[in-house]
Structure formats: C-alpha cells, structure tokens
Amino acid sequence: MVAAPTAQALALAAGLIRAGRLVGMPTETVYGLAANALDVAACTSIFAVKRRPADNPLIVHVLDAAQASALGDLGPLGQRLAEAFWPGPITLVVRSRQGGGTIALRAPAHPVARQLIALSERPLAAPSANLSGRPSPTTAQHVAAELAGLVGLILDGGPTTVGLESTVVDLSAKVPVILRPGAISPEALAAYGVLATAAGDSHAPSPGTRYRHYRPAIPVVVLVDGPNQSAAQVIDEWALVLAQAGEVPALVWVGDRRPTKWPGRCFASSAAMATGLFAAMRELETKATVLVVAAPPAEGIGHAIRDRLWRAAGGVFRIAGQLPSVDLGKGD
Ligand code: TXA
Ligand code: MG
C-alpha cells in the first residue's frame, strides 16, 4: 500500500519497523526498503524480498554522527566528512563496533526518512527498494510496481531529487577510497584525501558492485565522447543502424532537444540526467527494444552517471566516431 507521509502513516510505518516488517521509504537519493537494522530476521527478509545475494551488505541509516558512532568508529576523517556532508548522499564504510567487520552508515537528508528513523527509534537498514539487478526506484510507484504485496507500507515522499544512490566511501582501509560514486563528487572528496575510482577500474569494489546492476529489461548501449565527436552528436546514427536491424531504439542524452522519431528523454544538464535516468529506463523499456544513451562528461555527478551506465551496459562503453554496430550482447 502506498501512503502519503501523514503523521498517521508515519506512526503506522514506525510500528511496522518495530514489529520487524519492511517499509518503503523515500530518501533524497532513491527509495529504500527499510527494516530495523538491529533485527536480524527483519534484515534477512530484505534479502529475500529483493532476491539480493547474501554477501552484499546493507547500508544502515541514522540521524547523525552521534547515532552513527554508536554503531561504528567514524574516526577523525569520518567525523569531518559527516560534518561536511551529513545529512546527505554519502555513505561511510567504517569499522563496526560489533565484531571485527565493517559497517556502512549514512544519515539521509529526506525529511520522511528522518522522521521514520526518529519515530521508530531504530537505525534503519535500507538498500534501494528494487529487485536485485534492476534500476533503483525514484518514485513510490516504482517501488509498488516491483514490490507491492511484499512490503507492509510504502511512504510516498514524491520523486527523489538526487536520483542516483549515495557516494560510498571506504574509511576502513589504509587509504580512504570511493567504492561507488554519487552526488558527493570525487572532486569534492579529493579535498579530504579520498581517492577516486572510475567506471571500469579493476580496483577492489564494494561487494554490491560485483553484480549485474541498474539493468532495464532491454539492452543498453552507452556512447561516450570520442576525440572528434560528442556522444550526443552520434546517437541518431546509432538509432538509424539499430532501426535498420529491426530494433526499436530509444534515445537518452544531455543537450538540446531536437526532433527525432524515436522515443527518448533529453535532459538539460548532467544533474537533471542523474535525477531522471532510472525513471527514463523504466519508462523506455516498455516502448523500445534497445536504449541508446549518450554519457555525460566524467566530471561532478557525471562520474556517478557513467558508473551506473557502465554497469547497465554490462561493462561496455562505445566511443563516438567508431562505426555503429548492432551487436547488443543479447547472448550473455
Ligand atoms: O543512496 C543510497 O545509498 C540508497 C538509499 C536507500 O540510501 N541505498 C543503497 O543501498 O543504494 P544498496 O544496498 O542498494 O547499496 C549499498 C552499497 C552496495 O554496493 C554494498 O555492497 C555497499 O553499499 N556496502 C554496504 N555495506 C558495505 C560494507 N560494509 N563494505 C563495503 N561496501 C558496503
Ligand atoms: Mg541497490
């Protein structure tokens, strides 16, 4: 059931959390599938509902650095990052206070997520509220379409503003490193001595980044700028070649709107693409047989978009200027 986040619905949701049930909750990044992080059975049910691999750990959502510190040791750098970016779209992987392992902690900025944490008086474990492998949900309706009947309640906080999952930073190793790029950019984190990894790097990733991810129901072709041509310039050529091969292409790019006979989405900026990318994937998978996306430049939020696109496309970028091909890798 989808409900507006009234006082009554929030009280009901907090009661469900305390009773070990799951609640769909909006955050500023994407919708999360929340459970009491201290209830092992509740957290186990998240894995079952999402069909998530058991070795992919969950992010725990808290109100602030004080609540985080009860669960993990932020250390001096973690404290500084929390001060600078919490509440907000950054997750800190730190040494857990329990056992010898690590824990991923994030204080979300969305008022509904914060009210749910406060009212349930529990830290909330919450992965993105999609079936494992699918694009993350950015509206309550996306959550309902995939998980209706499997969650107690979905709180509708409207479309999320960031649109891509939080930046994940590992502070538990010798060198602080970005495990997953997000809205808190590599450029912003470099000022704190946090190293970046880029899409396609072989650097030891977050457990979750090993798996197929962010995949709509149709293949995704991602074009990046070449030396002489921009990706956005050549998507029409690609569309033509794919259409001649019997495909129905859908186009997604940043830049000027222009007439095209194919379905698609044109975004005014990289930030707008970040906000709308997953919704566009979900919409266009029903209208086309292949999605052709022109990746934005690798700067700011562009790093995070390219990371998601890289995974959506199964680890392939095509360079603008190379000849279009119809090999969509459907056999894999
Ligand atoms: O924006 C977000 O982070 C959203 C919203 C709901 O907060 N949540 C989210 O959760 O994206 P999820 O489960 O889809 O992604 C969590 C990522 C995974 O890549 C996981 O492997 C990584 O964080 N992670 C969690 N705990 C970790 C740990 N202890 N060490 C390394 N990576 C960890
Ligand atoms: Mg996810």
Side-chain angles (χ1 to χ4, degrees):
M1 177 183 118
V2 176
T6 58
Q8 202 182 8
L10 275 159
L12 177 62
L16 288 168
I17 293 286
R18 281 196 294 267
R21 303 276 303 281
L22 307 185
V23 171
M25 95 176 157
T27 82
E28 73 279 25
T29 57
V30 300
Y31 273 71
L33 182 59
N36 174 5
L38 308 176
D39 180 336
V40 176
C43 291
T44 304
S45 69
I46 290 181
F47 285 83
V49 164
K50 275 188 62 110
R51 294 182 225 143
R52 180 178 175 106
D55 63 348
N56 188 7
L58 305 174
I59 294 174
V60 177
H61 296 69
V62 293
L63 284 176
D64 51 30
Q67 195 180 7
S69 295
L71 300 166
D73 179 7
L74 297 187
L77 180 56
Q79 291 287 354
R80 284 176 64 211
L81 292 172
E83 226 163 82
F85 300 115
W86 278 358
I90 187 166
T91 297
L92 306 176
V93 174
V94 299
R95 294 262 145 230
S96 169
R97 298 262 183 222
Q98 283 200 332
T102 57
I103 183 169
L105 296 162
R106 167 162 121 79
H110 198 292
V112 174
R114 299 187 65 76
Q115 287 172 71
L116 187 59
I117 299 168
L119 279 173
S120 57
E121 298 177 305
R122 306 283 187 278
L124 299 181
S128 51
N130 51 280
L131 292 177
S132 200
R134 291 271 299 152
S136 295
T138 55
T139 66
Q141 289 67 40
H142 294 162
V143 183
E146 248 162 55
L147 302 180
L150 299 172
V151 289
L153 184 67
I154 300 164
L155 292 170
D156 188 349
T160 62
T161 50
V162 175
L164 299 178
E165 307 81 354
S166 62
T167 306
V168 179
V169 174
D170 188 358
L171 300 179
S172 71
K174 277 208 183 94
V175 181
V177 64
I178 298 174
L179 298 180
R180 181 178 72 185
I184 306 299
S185 68
E187 293 91 335
L189 289 167
Y192 295 83
V194 178
L195 299 185
T197 55
D201 268 9
S202 56
H203 177 89
S206 232
T209 58
R210 279 200 298 270
Y211 302 101
R212 286 176 164 226
H213 257 314
Y214 318 117
R215 292 218 175 174
I218 58 176
V220 180
V221 171
V222 179
L223 305 171
V224 295
D225 292 347
N228 302 314
Q229 277 175 307
S230 77
Q233 275 169 345
V234 299
I235 43 177
D236 296 298
E237 282 169 42
W238 274 78
L240 204 58
V241 169
L242 289 163
Q244 279 163 357
E247 302 285 345
V248 180
L251 308 182
V252 175
W253 74 99
V254 173
D256 297 330
R257 200 166 291 283
R258 54 177 183 252
T260 146
K261 60 179 167 176
W262 291 292
R265 279 296 309 273
C266 161
F267 294 105
S269 64
S270 293
M273 181 184 257
T275 306
L277 179 65
F278 287 146
M281 284 179 171
R282 284 174 184 269
E283 180 203 333
L284 296 171
E285 70 183 2
T286 65
K287 297 183 173 167
T289 62
V290 55
L291 195 60
V292 183
V293 187
E299 56 194 34
I301 189 78
H303 292 285
I305 297 172
R306 290 165 74 102
D307 170 77
R308 306 311 188 271
L309 290 174
W310 169 261
R311 294 173 205 290
V316 184
F317 279 163
R318 324 237 180 184
I319 300 168
Q322 290 180 348
L323 285 183
S325 80
V326 289
D327 167 24
L328 301 177
K330 279 182 176 171
D332 87 330

